[in-house]
């Protein structure tokens, strides 16, 4: 029998959860923060392993902020945004300028959040696929109507 171990929050992460809760109430500021993420990933080789999942998290947050996708718990939104805030800010538990030591904590936070909330990310990806499929079907119908 396998026991599920409780998830341990990374040290100092609770401060970022509080920041994320406030940011979720300020969509313009959140979109600005999300725009910084791709550049950070390019300069941050230790998180490139997570780049695909980070992309899904960013799309989920953007869709939620636009009101397009609402089937996500607030705890997931907050944790995903907190991890991205942690990644962007240079001063965190171990400052990024301390060579690779400073990048390890960013990677650990991303691994914790993206793994813990993976089910919600997968549900969002299914929703995205459904949206793409229905949009493609609408385009096919529109083209057939235009041919008459």
């Amino acid at each position: 029998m396998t026991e599920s171990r409780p998830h341990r929050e990374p040290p100092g992460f609770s401060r970022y959860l509080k920041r994320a809760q406030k940011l979720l109430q300020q969509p313009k500021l959140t979109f600005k923060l999300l725009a910084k993420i791709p550049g950070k990933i390019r300069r941050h080789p230790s998180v490139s392993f997570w780049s695909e999942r980070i992309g899904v998290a960013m799309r989920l947050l953007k869709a939620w902020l636009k009101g397009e996708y609402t089937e996500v718990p607030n705890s997931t939104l907050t944790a995903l945004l907190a991890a991205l805030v942690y990644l962007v800010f240079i001063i965190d538990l171990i400052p990024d300028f301390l060579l690779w030591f400073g990048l390890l904590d960013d990677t650990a936070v991303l691994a914790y959040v993206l793994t813990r909330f993976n089910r919600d990310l997968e549900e969002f990806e299914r929703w995205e696929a459904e949206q793409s499929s229905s949009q493609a079907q609408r385009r096919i119908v529109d083209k057939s109507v235009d041919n008459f």
Side-chain angles (χ1 to χ4, degrees):
M1 177 160 92
T2 309
E3 280 186 37
S4 80
R5 295 181 300 169
H7 297 282
R8 273 205 197 156
E9 188 176 278
F13 189 61
S14 60
R15 286 192 337 236
Y16 289 87
L17 288 169
K18 290 175 186 170
R19 284 182 184 179
Q21 286 173 336
K22 291 178 185 175
L23 261 176
L24 285 172
Q25 298 169 8
Q26 302 173 8
K28 286 183 183 179
L29 199 53
T30 303
F31 278 115
K32 275 184 161 178
L33 175 104
L34 292 174
K36 295 178 181 183
I37 301 297
K40 182 70 174 188
I41 292 171
R42 281 191 293 275
R43 292 187 308 274
H44 203 313
S46 64
V47 300
S48 63
F49 174 80
W50 296 102
S51 62
E52 187 270 329
R53 300 314 285 162
I54 292 169
V56 175
M58 289 176 55
R59 292 193 314 272
L60 184 154
L61 286 163
K62 288 176 181 178
W64 182 84
L65 288 166
K66 292 176 183 177
E68 297 169 349
Y69 182 72
T70 57
E71 300 299 316
V72 59
N74 194 48
S75 58
T76 300
L77 292 167
T78 304
L80 292 174
L81 186 56
L84 296 175
V85 168
Y86 197 93
L87 180 64
V88 168
F89 286 110
I90 193 165
I91 304 297
D92 44 42
L93 185 62
I94 303 171
D96 292 349
F97 59 80
L98 294 177
L99 297 177
W100 63 275
F101 288 112
L103 303 177
L104 281 177
D105 68 318
D106 293 357
T107 306
V109 166
L110 284 170
Y112 162 75
V113 171
L114 295 174
T115 303
R116 178 156 184 222
F117 296 98
N118 190 51
R119 182 174 294 141
D120 293 326
L121 292 171
E122 288 174 345
E123 288 176 20
F124 173 72
E125 287 179 300
R126 279 191 289 281
W127 175 84
E128 268 186 324
E130 289 171 8
Q131 298 305 303
S132 293
S133 174
S134 65
Q135 286 176 354
Q137 288 173 350
R138 278 193 296 261
R139 282 193 295 269
I140 290 169
V141 169
D142 289 346
K143 283 183 180 182
S144 1
V145 169
D146 290 341
N147 289 333
F148 283 103

